[in-house]
Amino acid sequence: MSAEIIQSRREWLLSDRPASRLQARLGRAYVTWRRFSANRLALIGLLIIIALLVVAALADVLAPYSPTIGDLKNARLLPPGAAHWFGTDDLGRDIYSRIVYGSRWTLYVVILVAVIAAPIGLLVGTVAGYAGGWTDAILMRITDIFLAFPKLVLALAFVAALGPGIENAVLAIAITSWPPYARIARAETLTVRNSDYIKAVQLMGASPFRIVLRHIMPLCVSSLIVRVTLDMAGIILTAAGLGFLGLGAQPPLPEWGAMIASGRRFILDQWWVAAAPGAAILIVSLGFNLLGDGLRDALDPRSGDQ
């Protein structure tokens, strides 16, 4: 009986003639999930990101020690062991606890940069693509100026002007991250700007603002989500680079890049001080890359059912 119910629900989701908008949306979501789940590497990436979220949410429970207070007298530079799984740093702080709490700062940076940069790029790209003419030329030349500089170098310049700190680092990374999103949104807008349904909306008297906001931007969201997910690894590495140079999170915050910077002095003898946060950056960056590849394949309208 349960197998028949599951089969009937699957047929309802995959119906060629949905009876409601809800059924159509659920059907699209189901097809997208089938494409995504068929990619084993994408599922591994999803599990890594879910683990990151769980660790960040339960840091107070998972971390056995304080991330900022250490035992300088008795626990300085201890190797990994039963008491300290990842060892301790030069101030006697437990590295495992600092990595667990550092996951919060990683998510803080990634989420804020995505929330700031993606809407800016989406707005600039759709307006430039729909308006055309001088508006398009001016907005795209500004975008080209930002794209002409390496992201890390440009972020360094902004942080140097704004001052060191995690908030200024987030702002600097966001300022340097929006141009690729604008390019993608513009390309998507150019493909649909002269389509029949956009012409129909124009004939109904809709304003350019409403057309861009209600009818063009939603079409660009899927491509933007894929690009943002793929850029998460770059954002993490840029934030870690700023922290490594002392321009990102300031001590004693347990930011992974700053932890690597403090451990580089002991890399030959006490390798675990820098290796543990480096491995955390590697795993999380790999997770976002695998997740982004899976979303790209799942959200590609040219992909068929697998």
Side-chain angles (χ1 to χ4, degrees):
M1 186 65 180
S2 59
E4 295 178 357
I5 295 176
I6 294 175
Q7 182 64 26
S8 63
R9 289 179 178 177
R10 183 181 293 112
E11 293 176 355
W12 182 79
L13 289 171
L14 298 177
S15 174
D16 295 333
R17 296 181 179 180
S20 64
R21 291 184 179 181
L22 177 61
Q23 183 180 356
R25 291 172 181 172
L26 291 176
R28 287 196 299 268
Y30 176 68
V31 172
T32 300
W33 170 250
R34 285 180 58 184
R35 292 172 179 166
F36 180 84
S37 60
N39 188 335
R40 298 295 178 86
L41 292 177
L43 290 178
I44 294 175
L46 179 62
L47 292 176
I48 292 174
I49 303 307
I50 292 175
L52 175 67
L53 294 172
V54 172
V55 168
L58 302 178
D60 296 330
V61 178
L62 297 176
Y65 300 95
S66 168
T68 58
I69 301 175
D71 185 357
L72 186 59
K73 180 179 179 180
N74 301 314
R76 184 176 185 270
L77 295 175
L78 293 179
H84 303 279
W85 292 352
F86 293 170
T88 60
D89 62 8
D90 57 320
L91 296 178
R93 297 171 297 191
D94 183 64
I95 294 177
Y96 167 74
S97 299
R98 288 178 60 79
I99 289 177
V100 169
Y101 276 96
S103 63
R104 291 182 172 180
W105 292 106
T106 298
L107 286 176
Y108 174 82
V109 171
V110 165
I111 292 174
L112 278 186
V113 170
V115 168
I116 296 172
I120 294 175
L122 179 62
L123 178 63
V124 171
T126 52
V127 170
Y130 183 77
W134 283 105
T135 302
D136 182 23
I138 293 173
L139 292 177
M140 286 301 102
R141 296 301 75 75
I142 295 174
T143 303
D144 290 339
I145 292 173
F146 278 88
L147 289 173
F149 296 92
K151 183 181 294 186
L152 181 58
V153 174
L154 198 58
L156 284 172
F158 280 116
V159 173
L162 296 173
I166 189 68
E167 293 83 5
N168 292 338
V170 168
L171 185 59
I173 298 172
I175 292 174
T176 60
S177 298
W178 65 266
Y181 309 145
R183 283 288 187 182
I184 292 174
R186 177 179 179 270
E188 295 281 351
T189 303
L190 290 176
T191 60
V192 301
R193 182 177 62 179
N194 297 319
S195 59
D196 292 339
Y197 69 92
I198 295 296
K199 296 295 185 182
V201 174
Q202 292 173 344
L203 290 175
M204 294 175 64
S207 64
F209 175 79
R210 182 180 178 84
I211 293 174
V212 170
L213 183 65
R214 298 291 300 274
H215 300 282
I216 294 181
M217 282 188 178
L219 297 175
C220 305
V221 169
S222 61
S223 299
L224 209 63
I225 290 175
V226 173
R227 181 56 192 260
V228 169
T229 307
L230 289 171
D231 282 351
M232 293 297 188
I235 293 171
I236 293 173
L237 293 175
T238 303
L242 294 176
F244 182 85
L245 296 173
L247 297 175
Q250 300 299 299
L253 291 181
E255 197 273 327
W256 293 344
M259 292 174 64
I260 295 176
S262 66
R264 71 183 186 275
R265 296 171 295 168
F266 316 103
I267 192 66
L268 295 179
D269 297 323
Q270 289 82 25
W271 52 267
W272 59 86
V273 180
I281 293 174
L282 172 64
I283 293 172
V284 173
S285 300
L286 178 63
F288 275 116
N289 278 331
L290 295 177
L291 179 63
D293 287 338
L295 288 176
R296 179 184 58 194
D297 296 338
L299 295 175
D300 186 359
R302 292 169 295 184
S303 298
D305 281 340
Q306 298 183 8

